[in-house]
Amino acid sequence: MDAILVWHFERRRFIGADGKQENSMTKEAIKEHVTAAPFRPFSVRLTDGRSYSVPGPVYASVSPNGRFLTVYTDGGNGVRILDVGLITEIESTPRE
């Protein structure tokens, strides 16, 4: 049987069919990717399907409380502030 997840907007968490909260991506896992040495490029995917690339370590930072991931886009000329609770996947990407 496939697991059914429902996004609970008030709690900002996925709620599984059994009623337990599930985080698909932890702030610790995200921070590990951002601070990895040597750095390996990656992209993050959000619950709505959007994806953002992080080509180098200066293109992302995690807020001190771990709630937000700031991603610099368009060669550093743009910025997106992402709620870590909305990140469903981290995927390694080839170097550009």
Side-chain angles (χ1 to χ4, degrees):
M1 178 196 268
D2 292 333
I4 297 173
L5 295 176
V6 177
W7 181 252
H8 192 287
F9 285 97
E10 290 178 8
R11 292 188 186 151
R12 295 183 168 272
R13 298 283 182 260
F14 282 106
I15 306 297
D18 59 0
K20 294 182 181 177
Q21 288 188 13
E22 296 185 19
N23 282 331
S24 51
M25 197 55 52
T26 65
K27 64 183 177 184
E28 290 82 13
I30 294 166
K31 192 167 190 167
E32 282 179 25
H33 278 79
V34 171
T35 61
F39 182 84
R40 292 187 344 213
F42 65 94
S43 62
V44 293
R45 182 170 307 281
L46 304 180
T47 55
D48 65 3
R50 288 181 294 165
S51 182
Y52 296 96
S53 295
V54 180
V58 297
Y59 286 89
S61 64
V62 178
S63 65
N65 65 4
R67 182 171 175 202
F68 297 103
L69 173 66
T70 302
V71 177
Y72 297 94
T73 61
D74 192 28
N77 294 318
V79 66
R80 295 282 187 240
I81 300 174
L82 310 174
D83 186 326
V84 167
L86 298 178
I87 297 173
T88 60
E89 181 179 312
I90 297 177
E91 182 180 12
S92 294
T93 57
R95 291 195 179 268
E96 295 179 354

